[in-house]
């Protein structure tokens, strides 16, 4: 029987706006099992990216808690959360967030070096080969296509072998064919490594390829299936 990888317990997020308090998330409550792939669907402004940031401990909820493998992350200090992210979590951003002054290889080596891995170069080369970039190791992001940059970002996220991968609109800035190949890559790595995958998307077709779909509307979780 699978264990719960991450649980979101009654999470709400309220911010101050010129018109007064604005509720971005309202009492969100769900769990994701280890090894599961889950898509979070919703229109722009529904709170998807805010929810993902809270799940990663990059943002804090106004109310509620997130637990990873039974560990409540908002009981930790910011430094403890940062250390936890480095050990347990991979995050893929829509705009890639690669370091422009580093090559593809150096971008992927970075989290390994921060974790003190002695064989960072070899591990980075292996995973870049797995994502089809063995010939692009020494290229800088500016000379890589959008799809290649996203594959570097995926390799960087997966190279630390995270238990949980969070992806924010990972195909949002890519054409349909490239987006599908990135989705194939994420799901194959999810299955091969047993990594729990949670992705935010507005694309119903991509979402349908995950084990389960959660739908947000105006900051509320309106369906789980």
């Amino acid at each position: 029987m699978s264990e719960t990888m991450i649980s979101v317990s009654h999470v709400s997020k309220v911010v101050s706006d010129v018109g007064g308090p604005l509720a971005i998330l309202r009492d969100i409550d769900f769990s994701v099992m280890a090894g599961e792939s889950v898509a979070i669907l919703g229109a722009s402004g529904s709170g998807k990216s805010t929810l993902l940031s809270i799940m990663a401990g990059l943002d804090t909820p106004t109310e509620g808690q997130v637990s990873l493998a039974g560990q409540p992350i908002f009981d930790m200090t910011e430094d403890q959360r940062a250390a936890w992210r480095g050990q347990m979590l991979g995050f893929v951003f829509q705009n890639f967030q690669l370091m422009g002054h580093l090559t593809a290889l150096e971008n992927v080596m970075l989290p390994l070096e921060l974790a003190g891995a002695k064989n960072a170069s070899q591990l980075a080369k292996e995973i870049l080969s797995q994502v089809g970039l063995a010939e692009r190791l020494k290229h800088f992001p500016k000379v890589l296509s959008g799809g290649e940059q996203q594959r570097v970002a995926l390799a960087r996220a997966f190279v630390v072998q995270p238990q949980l991968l969070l992806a924010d609109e990972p195909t949002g800035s890519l054409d349909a064919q490239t987006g599908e190949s990135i989705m194939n890559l994420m799901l194959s790595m999810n299955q091969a490594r047993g990594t729990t995958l949670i992705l935010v998307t507005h694309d119903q077709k991509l979402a349908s390829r995950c084990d389960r779909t959660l739908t947000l509307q105006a900051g509320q979780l309106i369906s789980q299936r």
Side-chain angles (χ1 to χ4, degrees), residues 64-142:
Q65 181 62 269
V66 173
S67 296
L68 182 77
Q71 178 74 38
I73 67 173
F74 295 112
D75 289 353
M76 303 177 186
T77 65
E78 277 195 40
D79 286 347
Q80 287 171 331
R81 278 202 299 277
W84 160 81
R85 275 195 297 272
Q87 294 166 1
M88 306 278 285
L89 182 74
F91 202 108
V92 179
F93 300 89
Q94 180 178 356
N95 59 354
F96 320 135
Q97 293 207 3
L98 300 176
M99 307 288 278
H101 64 288
L102 300 180
T103 64
L105 179 63
E106 289 166 342
N107 265 284
V108 178
M109 286 173 61
L110 188 59
L112 291 168
E113 291 173 331
L114 290 173
K118 292 185 170 60
N119 54 344
S121 178
Q122 184 58 37
L123 291 171
K125 286 176 183 175
E126 287 172 5
I127 199 161
L128 282 165
S129 178
Q130 287 173 32
V131 301
L133 292 175
E135 307 301 315
R136 310 288 270 168
L137 302 180
K138 295 182 180 178
H139 289 70
F140 290 93
K142 66 182 179 182

Side-chain angles (χ1 to χ4, degrees), residues 108-182:
V108 178
M109 286 173 61
L110 188 59
L112 291 168
E113 291 173 331
L114 290 173
K118 292 185 170 60
N119 54 344
S121 178
Q122 184 58 37
L123 291 171
K125 286 176 183 175
E126 287 172 5
I127 199 161
L128 282 165
S129 178
Q130 287 173 32
V131 301
L133 292 175
E135 307 301 315
R136 310 288 270 168
L137 302 180
K138 295 182 180 178
H139 289 70
F140 290 93
K142 66 182 179 182
V143 297
L144 299 174
S145 69
E148 287 173 333
Q149 289 184 58
Q150 191 60 299
R151 280 188 274 162
V152 174
L154 266 180
R156 181 182 61 187
F158 267 110
V159 76
V160 293
Q161 299 192 17
Q163 294 185 38
L164 174 65
L165 180 72
L166 302 178
D168 190 5
E169 297 278 12
T171 62
S173 54
L174 306 174
D175 63 76
Q177 185 177 352
T178 307
E180 187 162 350
S181 74
I182 290 295

Side-chain angles (χ1 to χ4, degrees), residues 41 176 180 183 201-210:
L41 271 171
E180 187 162 350
M183 190 67 189
T201 185
H202 60 270
D203 189 325
Q204 293 269 4
K205 184 182 174 187
L206 290 180
S208 69
R209 299 186 58 192
C210 292

Side-chain angles (χ1 to χ4, degrees), residues 24-57:
I24 297 175
L25 296 171
R26 306 164 188 256
D27 196 29
I28 305 293
D29 199 80
F30 66 91
S31 295
V32 177
M33 307 306 285
E36 196 175 10
S37 60
V38 173
I40 301 175
L41 271 171
S44 179
S46 60
K48 305 184 305 296
S49 293
T50 300
L51 176 57
L52 207 69
S53 291
I54 288 173
M55 291 167 70

Side-chain angles (χ1 to χ4, degrees), residues 13-24:
K13 178 72 175 182
V14 180
V15 297
S16 296
D17 196 10
V18 286
L22 176 66
I24 297 175

